[in-house]
């Protein structure tokens, strides 16, 4: 064997072995985020870009320090895509990005079996006020107050498909800013893109409500795969 041949053979063998080693898997999405809300349950709603109207919703559990996927489904977003939540404007048909709590759920249909989160039944006089001039702006009302115009509000029972089951997203909710937006929910799919909410198939919505545990402080993170509204920023 000529000098150096052994080194070449050894190097070639190492290359063959290295080629057979699978690449290290990327950490789960929640582990790459700046914040997950401090709880041990998280829903991520991710779109491929700010102009996208569809993407993926995944719900996760944190157990023994590791985020594990509990379920996943296709998702729909606003008809005009996604925008930074802090600069969103009402009536733009955009989904606000950011990290939000989930105050409570509601529905025209009864809560799925196993639901532990607060679940409000939708009645004939249930409304979501979106009137910027109302004291009830971005709030559930029963009945609709006099200062909240019907034309500027959602009569919840009218949306039989979308609001069969829904989860309130805490966007602009704790201290509402007028004209930023109201009535942003995670709800059942309608015919197409949403007016700013996130929607999923009915089976996924029911699974999420049965999965969520208030004591584990579930949150939802909404964002894109990259860019200024990347979900990992939140």
């Amino acid at each position: 064997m000529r000098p150096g041949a052994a080194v070449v053979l050894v190097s070639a063998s190492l290359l063959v072995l290295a080629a057979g080693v699978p690449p290290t898997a990327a950490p789960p999405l929640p582990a790459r985020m700046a914040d997950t809300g401090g709880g041990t349950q998280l829903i991520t709603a991710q779109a491929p870009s700010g102009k996208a109207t569809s993407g993926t919703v995944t719900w996760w559990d944190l157990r023994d320090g590791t985020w594990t996927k509990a379920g996943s489904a296709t998702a729909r977003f606003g008809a005009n895509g996604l925008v930074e939540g802090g600069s969103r404007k009402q009536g733009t048909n955009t989904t606000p990005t950011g990290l939000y709590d989930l105050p409570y759920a509601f529905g025209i249909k009864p809560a799925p079996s196993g639901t532990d989160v607060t679940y409000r039944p939708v009645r004939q006089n249930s409304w979501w006020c979106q009137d910027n001039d109302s004291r009830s702006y971005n709030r559930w009302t029963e009945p609709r107050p006099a200062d909240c115009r019907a034309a500027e509000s959602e009569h919840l029972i009218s949306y039989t498909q979308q609001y069969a089951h829904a989860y309130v997203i805490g966007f602009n909710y704790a201290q509402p800013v007028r004209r930023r937006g109201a009535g942003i929910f995670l709800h059942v799919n309608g015919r197409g893109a949403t007016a700013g909410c996130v929607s999923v198939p009915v089976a996924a919505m029911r699974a999420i409500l049965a999965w969520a545990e208030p004591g584990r402080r579930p949150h939802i993170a909404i964002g894109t795969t990259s860019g200024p509204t990347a979900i990992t920023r939140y």
Side-chain angles (χ1 to χ4, degrees), residues 120-139:
R120 299 185 69 166
V122 174
R123 302 182 176 90
Q124 187 62 41
N125 65 343
S126 302
W127 292 76
W128 197 276
C129 183
Q130 299 181 354
D131 189 335
N132 285 282
D133 296 325
S134 174
R135 290 171 294 178
S136 300
Y137 178 68
N138 202 20
R139 286 292 184 271

Side-chain angles (χ1 to χ4, degrees), residues 86-200:
S87 59
R88 182 183 185 269
K89 289 182 170 46
Q90 186 165 324
T92 55
N93 290 342
T94 53
T95 297
T97 62
L99 177 68
Y100 306 106
D101 63 352
L102 296 157
Y104 61 90
F106 66 88
I108 295 171
K109 292 187 176 180
S113 177
T115 298
D116 288 330
V117 299
T118 300
Y119 190 91
R120 299 185 69 166
V122 174
R123 302 182 176 90
Q124 187 62 41
N125 65 343
S126 302
W127 292 76
W128 197 276
C129 183
Q130 299 181 354
D131 189 335
N132 285 282
D133 296 325
S134 174
R135 290 171 294 178
S136 300
Y137 178 68
N138 202 20
R139 286 292 184 271
W140 172 298
T141 64
E142 284 186 359
R144 178 176 54 83
D147 73 341
C148 184
R149 293 167 291 174
E152 298 293 328
S153 303
E154 284 192 348
H155 192 202
L156 299 178
I157 205 166
S158 299
Y159 299 86
T160 56
Q161 185 171 343
Q162 295 93 326
Y163 296 159
H165 306 291
Y167 213 159
V168 177
I169 295 174
F171 166 72
N172 201 30
Y173 186 79
Q175 295 179 320
V177 176
R178 310 289 167 154
R179 295 173 179 78
R180 181 163 291 171
I184 301 297
F185 313 127
L186 173 63
H187 63 68
V188 177
N189 281 340
R191 289 185 174 183
T194 73
C197 295
V198 179
S199 73
V200 293

